Amino acid sequence: MGHIILRVTIKLLFAPIILFAFYVQFHGDYGPGGGFQAGVILAVAFVLHALGFGVDATKKVVPPTILPAVMAVGVLIYGGTGVWTLLLGGNFLDYDVIDPTSHHNAGQHLGILLVEGGVGLAVASTMLLIFYVFSSREAEPQDDAW
């Protein structure tokens, strides 16, 4: 399946795309980027893999059965961070209460890192599951098939 040049190119690009997704994920605290963009980039790496090696091969790497659980974990990390700040006496997602004595805004950085990580997990798993659903769709019958 697929052309050899396409498959070699995908093999060369797969790891750098994932590395770029992690760069965008962890750089989102200091500049443009963050969980949503990183999640989409991470999902693109696996979509590209599926286009070159087939959806079944990609489903062996990332089974569709674990994706809803990963989505839920991402949402729980996001919401759990907010509940954590509520339990510490602040507002929902008020990161300053995580480490109020820090002079370097450590609470802000930790809170944003957790929330963006949760968003990244939820977005990547959602995008990949949407791709799996669309790619496994049956072809619609033609008018002359009736």
Side-chain angles (χ1 to χ4, degrees), residues 76-96:
L76 284 175
I77 291 172
Y78 184 95
T81 304
V83 171
W84 184 29
T85 59
L86 283 174
L87 293 175
L88 292 174
N91 294 323
F92 190 75
L93 298 177
D94 180 13
Y95 308 126
D96 287 331

Side-chain angles (χ1 to χ4, degrees), residues 20-44:
F20 184 64
F22 284 121
Y23 168 76
V24 170
Q25 174 73 46
F26 293 112
H27 190 261
D29 191 12
Y30 302 104
F36 186 87
Q37 294 88 344
V40 171
I41 294 169
L42 186 62
V44 162

Side-chain angles (χ1 to χ4, degrees), residues 5 11-12 15 35 40 52 57 60 82 88 94 102 112 114 116 123 130 138 142:
I5 294 175
K11 282 185 178 180
L12 290 173
V40 171
K60 289 179 183 174
L88 292 174
D94 180 13
S102 173
I112 290 173
L114 287 171
E116 295 292 338
V123 168
I130 289 171
E138 295 288 327
Q142 300 294 322

Side-chain angles (χ1 to χ4, degrees), residues 46-121:
F46 291 100
V47 169
L48 191 62
H49 183 274
L51 293 176
F53 298 96
V55 176
D56 292 334
T58 304
K59 284 182 178 178
K60 289 179 183 174
V61 177
V62 182
T65 54
I66 68 164
L67 292 176
V70 175
M71 283 183 231
V73 167
V75 172
L76 284 175
I77 291 172
Y78 184 95
T81 304
V83 171
W84 184 29
T85 59
L86 283 174
L87 293 175
L88 292 174
N91 294 323
F92 190 75
L93 298 177
D94 180 13
Y95 308 126
D96 287 331
V97 296
I98 294 174
D99 191 1
T101 60
S102 173
H103 298 293
H104 303 289
N105 297 324
Q108 285 281 331
H109 294 296
L110 179 61
I112 290 173
L113 190 68
L114 287 171
V115 166
E116 295 292 338
V119 170
L121 283 176

